[in-house]
Amino acid sequence: MASHIVGYPRMGPKRELKFALESFWDGKSTADDLQKVATDLRHSIWKQMADAGIKYIPSNTFSYYDQVLDTTAMLGAVPERYNFTGGEIGFDIYFSMARGNASVPAMEMTKCHFIVPELGPNTKFSYSSHKPVSEYKEAKALGIETVPVLIGPVTYVLLSKPAKGVEKSFSPLSLLGSILPIYKEVIAELKAAGASWIQFDEPTLVMDLESHQLEAFTKAYTELESSLSGLNVLAETYFADVPPEAYKTITALKSISGFGFDLVRGTKTLDLVKSAGFPAGKYLFAGVVDGRNIWANDLASSISTLETLEAIVGKDKLVVSTSCSLMHTAVDLVNETKLDSEIKSWLAFAAQKVVEVNALAKALAGQKDEAFFSANAAAQASRKSSPRVTNEEVQKAAAALKGSDHRRATNVSARLDAQQKKLNLPILPTTTIGSFPQTMDLRRVRREYKANKISEEEYVKAIKEEISKVVKLQEELDIDVLVHGEPERNDMVEYFGEQLSGFAFTVNGWVQSYGSRCVKPPIIYGDVSRPKAMTVFWSKMAQSMTARPMKGMLTGPVTILNWSFVRNDQPRFETCYQIALAIKKEVEDLEAAGIQVIQIDEAALREGLPLRKSEQAFYLDWAVHSFRITNCGVQDTTQIHTHMCYSNFNDIIHSIINMDADVITIENSRSDEKLLSVFREGVKYGAGIGPGVYDIHSPRIPSTEEIADRINKMLAVLETNILWVNPDCGLKTRKYAEVKPALTNMVAAAKFLRTQLASTK
């Protein structure tokens, strides 16, 4: 009975790759230093899987940034602005595409946090990164046989977008024929190096595809058939079930020997295999171990699923696998020394999931580890019955929400008038999104306080000084609506989770977000409630330092949900409503403390959107409802802001309007005004809106002219009286040397346009 892992986290158990990347980007270490850290990580991952008994071990799932960008490099599909002249792509071009450089901006990143390929009819493809082959050989030299993983050609073009200056109607799918020759070269080299399996990740198969898109799969894999002969080929899908049409299309492909299905989020695929059958002589890679969560597998339940499949596909053709790459989960539970033992017994991180996959495979082969299985059953039972999980009062309050719509009493234009009378802001008011740079000193203060090395009094004094500095700076820059800079916060979700009940925290449960950025998602294991006020002390203090409006800063319920590891024993929306009620209490406490502008960030609203159209309306309905619950009780004069990141907004604009916030600020500077096209197409938007005027994810400092130009583009489609001027995200990852000049130019641009607008009136 064979076992397989779709992919593995690459940051390292202690974020080794993160620190190596940042040191390299800061010029403090060499490319050789970075490569050495990367090599050591790859070796330890392969060895770990080999030692655990995994048969199909992936290679080329390691990445210095993300696997889509690696594929862009492999295909030599470098946008012209990076002046790539051919040959093997090095770190300079690779990281310029990911992060921009002094003279050119980065490529766009999507909400799934990959760098989007920019293609056009004139894109020249050439085999420009031999990484898949060199990593395969590297593992082989250690005596470890691996399965090289490539992003499938069809998924690659479907994830691409037309490059700047290319007709919007251009379909990247038309370039499929141009990239297949490079895939053939890669396949030939892998074959020559001795590979016996290749894995193509084709997750777009779970999307709602049109018939011509499905035909592209048939076309591509028929075209690759002769190159692939003599190799076993795995087509891997994940994140949802495979629709019947797609299932029919791929299982008919001759060149493919095995199919990987996510059976955690794709339970309907199981029914398809039962009803539509499975091609004889092919392998089924059964993704029964969840790659996107941290709960221990219910081994007994997985065994029954696997036995059902075994009866259909045959014992020697069933492979136990993960539902998707384990890169979406934390690395190793061994590094969690502070988690209490009961909660710990309910969990499995990537390293433990590798062991679970192998234990399931062995059990099916008649070598069941009885002790392992009974410990698992005991943990499953303790989680079901634990009193820590259930809070009757919270359950009741959440159930009572179902009857109401939770809307504010008056409409948005009347509220904006009432707020303007109170706040008296200029047109094109300026603000920032919330956080200011987190200096080494600041991090040290928080660390020392957490470790009880400094007293609460010393801590409060240090944070108060920092807030005062940030307030003074904003007043000097003449920003209209201020923030306190969030010096007391480690992370926008963790900070709240630590103060809510029903949450547990890890010390090393880091997960890669994008590039070197890692997040440490809290674990929601039980019913959520707010024992006491969370932010009122700091917001009140900050407001007392200035006469200008000071924004209260909260993270919204949907974002807390989507950026946490969520309990899987009740529907997600129930957990979300519980969080919404906790945030609602905080909003009302802030208002009572005299805070007139309250921002409730929903940066991750779009991230939770199901991949399939048929499931989207239900999600958007409860997500938007959860947001409204948080602020339905405030006065008209209290201005509610929200902020959203990385959003492909246009398809959910009506839900965003339905959130009924007074002002929404938007990360859009990398998606090149795509956002504005929705307003050009006549969507009526009456609330305040602040599309980001510069990209904070890049160290580049935009000029006043550039920012003014951007605001003008917005004024062409949005009313003057609703437009706000702000950066596109929080500033915590930037340095003050970048923030000061950028904000200076931003305020100057706003003032310049105010003067212009006044004179044209």
Side-chain angles (χ1 to χ4, degrees):
M1 197 68 203
S3 51
H4 165 247
I5 305 294
V6 178
Y8 200 81
R10 46 229 179 194
M11 279 294 138
K14 301 277 172 77
R15 291 183 294 163
E16 292 82 348
L17 183 60
K18 170 195 175 69
F19 299 119
L21 280 167
E22 289 171 0
S23 162
F24 174 68
W25 293 337
D26 287 347
K28 292 177 185 154
S29 60
T30 65
D32 286 348
D33 297 331
L34 175 55
Q35 277 158 337
K36 174 155 179 18
V37 170
T39 304
D40 291 348
L41 278 171
R42 286 195 297 270
H43 290 189
S44 71
I45 291 166
W46 291 326
K47 284 191 176 124
Q48 180 191 339
M49 289 197 219
D51 293 345
I54 300 296
K55 180 172 179 185
Y56 299 114
I57 297 171
S59 59
N60 198 42
T61 56
F62 175 85
S63 176
Y64 287 103
Y65 211 87
D66 79 63
Q67 284 166 268
V68 179
L69 183 61
D70 293 354
T71 311
T72 296
M74 178 182 92
L75 298 170
V78 181
E80 274 173 24
R81 62 182 177 277
Y82 301 105
N83 299 322
F84 172 57
T85 49
E88 186 80 2
I89 284 177
F91 281 156
D92 50 346
I93 297 271
Y94 180 85
F95 288 129
S96 292
M97 291 194 285
R99 309 176 67 239
N101 60 36
S103 51
V104 288
M107 292 166 74
E108 183 198 348
M109 188 190 298
T110 69
K111 59 135 187 133
C112 296
H113 292 157
F114 64 83
I115 300 286
V116 184
E118 300 173 14
L119 306 179
N122 306 324
T123 304
K124 297 274 177 288
F125 297 101
S126 61
Y127 184 12
S128 305
S129 165
H130 291 62
K131 177 179 174 294
V133 181
S134 58
E135 286 189 17
Y136 171 77
K137 289 177 171 169
E138 188 185 309
K140 206 172 173 77
L142 299 172
I144 298 173
E145 184 54 42
T146 60
V147 178
V149 178
L150 301 172
I151 288 192
V154 187
T155 287
Y156 180 78
V157 288
L158 290 178
L159 294 177
S160 304
K161 66 169 190 178
K164 277 200 178 105
V166 171
E167 282 298 315
K168 286 281 170 266
S169 60
F170 172 76
S171 163
L173 194 55
S174 62
L175 296 171
L176 186 59
S178 314
I179 68 172
L180 292 176
I182 292 160
Y183 274 89
K184 287 178 183 172
E185 285 187 68
V186 179
I187 293 163
E189 284 193 12
L190 286 169
K191 223 180 193 171
S196 58
W197 276 85
I198 293 184
Q199 172 178 327
F200 288 105
D201 280 8
E202 292 282 15
T204 47
L205 280 164
V206 307
M207 309 281 282
D208 298 301
L209 297 178
E210 291 163 30
S211 55
H212 74 279
Q213 295 171 315
L214 279 176
E215 279 157 26
F217 285 93
T218 307
K219 200 176 108 187
Y221 287 95
T222 306
E223 163 88 8
L224 292 173
E225 201 171 320
S226 56
S227 308
L228 291 168
S229 71
L231 280 168
N232 285 301
V233 179
L234 165 60
E236 182 62 57
T237 67
Y238 36 80
F239 300 155
D241 52 273
V242 177
E245 279 307 302
Y247 182 82
K248 213 162 80 186
T249 303
I250 58 157
T251 51
L253 296 172
K254 284 209 239 348
S255 53
I256 291 176
S257 352
F259 305 92
F261 300 125
D262 177 339
L263 300 179
V264 176
R265 276 174 183 71
T267 43
K268 290 187 194 136
T269 307
L270 203 53
D271 303 333
L272 262 182
V273 174
K274 289 180 204 165
S275 61
F278 189 74
K282 304 265 172 145
Y283 292 85
L284 194 155
F285 286 68
V288 289
V289 172
D290 193 348
R292 284 177 67 179
N293 220 322
I294 42 60
W295 304 108
N297 189 270
D298 182 341
L299 297 177
S301 155
S302 295
I303 285 285
S304 89
T305 302
L306 292 164
E307 283 171 347
T308 306
L309 288 168
E310 196 176 57
I312 300 168
V313 307
K315 210 177 185 67
D316 58 336
K317 293 294 187 231
L318 184 63
V319 181
V320 181
S321 183
T322 54
S323 66
C324 61
S325 169
L326 297 175
M327 66 172 278
H328 308 283
T329 189
V331 182
D332 196 344
L333 201 50
V334 164
N335 300 316
E336 297 308 325
T337 45
K338 294 197 172 135
L339 264 179
D340 86 76
S341 57
E342 185 183 27
I343 291 178
K344 201 168 170 176
S345 76
W346 303 339
L347 307 178
F349 291 0
Q352 287 68 43
K353 288 173 188 287
V354 169
V355 174
E356 289 179 337
V357 166
N358 192 56
L360 286 164
K362 282 177 82 167
L364 277 181
Q367 303 167 308
K368 187 172 177 186
D369 180 339
E370 294 295 349
F372 188 74
F373 272 72
S374 59
N376 174 271
Q380 298 292 328
S382 100
R383 194 176 151 210
K384 281 193 181 80
S385 60
S386 172
R388 307 165 67 162
V389 172
T390 315
N391 177 333
E392 290 298 332
E393 199 184 324
V394 173
Q395 293 273 349
K396 270 199 200 107
L401 293 171
K402 310 253 156 55
S404 158
D405 213 16
H406 300 96
R407 287 186 186 278
R408 288 173 77 176
T410 27
N411 73 20
V412 70
S413 51
R415 298 196 310 259
L416 287 170
D417 289 344
Q419 290 154 15
Q420 181 53 16
K421 285 197 180 79
K422 199 165 177 184
L423 297 171
N424 203 10
L425 299 169
I427 57 163
L428 305 181
T430 52
T431 190
T432 63
I433 302 305
S435 58
F436 264 65
Q438 299 241 338
T439 58
M440 296 301 266
D441 285 348
L442 194 52
R443 290 202 168 98
R444 196 197 65 243
V445 166
R446 280 205 312 261
R447 230 182 6 253
E448 288 179 351
Y449 177 54
K450 224 172 180 168
N452 293 320
K453 287 184 183 159
I454 58 173
S455 69
E456 183 167 6
E457 206 176 327
E458 290 171 291
Y459 171 71
V460 169
K461 182 169 176 275
I463 298 291
K464 185 176 181 176
E465 276 167 17
E466 183 66 24
I467 292 174
S468 160
K469 215 167 68 185
V470 168
V471 170
K472 275 205 183 69
L473 172 63
Q474 292 172 92
E475 292 191 324
E476 280 160 19
L477 293 167
D478 206 13
I479 291 172
D480 301 304
V481 174
L482 309 193
V483 297
H484 76 293
E486 303 177 21
E488 78 289 6
R489 302 186 191 181
N490 41 5
D491 170 272
M492 61 185 283
V493 173
E494 192 171 322
Y495 179 75
F496 290 95
E498 281 173 345
Q499 303 184 71
L500 294 166
S501 56
F503 281 77
F505 291 86
T506 61
V507 178
N508 282 299
W510 296 98
V511 180
Q512 182 182 13
S513 164
Y514 63 87
S516 69
R517 182 95 190 267
C518 295
V519 292
K520 192 152 60 74
I523 296 167
I524 305 178
Y525 66 85
D527 289 335
V528 176
S529 60
R530 184 200 75 145
K532 57 180 201 300
M534 304 182 281
T535 65
V536 177
F537 175 79
W538 299 115
S539 287
K540 208 171 159 178
M541 173 193 288
Q543 182 63 82
S544 73
M545 296 174 181
T546 179
R548 300 179 187 217
M550 172 62 64
K551 283 198 277 199
M553 273 294 153
L554 305 173
T555 302
V558 187
T559 297
I560 291 179
L561 184 89
N562 285 340
W563 283 350
S564 296
F565 287 124
V566 182
R567 56 192 288 192
N568 56 359
D569 58 349
Q570 70 176 17
R572 286 175 77 87
F573 67 85
E574 288 189 18
T575 306
C576 200
Y577 284 155
Q578 293 179 0
I579 304 168
L581 287 171
I583 299 295
K584 179 178 197 280
K585 288 184 176 164
E586 189 70 14
V587 169
E588 287 162 10
D589 283 354
L590 281 169
E591 183 183 59
I595 303 298
Q596 300 174 21
V597 181
I598 301 170
Q599 181 169 310
I600 307 165
D601 280 350
E602 281 295 13
L605 182 94
R606 181 70 177 65
E607 274 180 42
L609 193 67
L611 293 169
R612 296 284 259 292
K613 292 272 190 301
S614 58
E615 296 160 24
Q616 291 178 352
F618 178 63
Y619 166 78
L620 288 167
D621 189 56
W622 63 253
V624 168
H625 189 183
S626 297
F627 178 82
R628 287 201 310 265
I629 288 167
T630 63
N631 61 82
C632 62
V634 300
Q635 298 165 26
D636 285 358
T637 48
T638 298
Q639 190 166 76
I640 299 292
H641 287 224
T642 187
H643 172 69
M644 300 185 147
C645 285
Y646 289 119
S647 287
N648 209 340
F649 247 62
N650 302 13
D651 48 356
I652 61 164
I653 186 72
H654 295 290
S655 297
I656 287 161
I657 293 171
N658 206 12
M659 288 167 76
D660 198 29
D662 296 309
V663 178
I664 175 167
T665 53
I666 300 172
E667 185 286 322
N668 73 305
S669 63
R670 273 197 185 191
S671 44
D672 202 48
E673 332 300 333
K674 247 195 310 207
L675 165 76
L676 295 179
S677 65
V678 70
F679 300 111
R680 260 183 229 112
E681 285 151 23
V683 169
K684 282 282 163 275
Y685 190 74
I689 184 165
V693 296
Y694 79 92
D695 177 12
I696 69 96
H697 298 91
S698 165
R700 220 175 125 261
I701 293 154
S703 66
T704 302
E705 294 70 38
E706 189 184 326
I707 294 175
D709 178 49
R710 205 162 217 156
I711 299 169
N712 268 324
K713 275 192 189 141
M714 295 169 189
L715 285 170
V717 290
L718 291 163
E719 296 295 325
T720 317
N721 62 340
I722 64 169
L723 190 64
W724 284 65
V725 175
N726 44 267
D728 73 352
C729 251
L731 305 169
K732 81 171 182 189
T733 57
R734 298 267 59 94
K735 300 177 168 69
Y736 272 106
E738 299 155 349
V739 166
K740 282 180 191 167
L743 290 178
T744 301
N745 294 351
M746 181 186 89
V747 174
K751 288 181 171 173
F752 167 71
L753 289 172
R754 278 173 205 161
T755 316
Q756 262 199 340
L757 288 165
S759 63
T760 55
K761 270 198 181 139

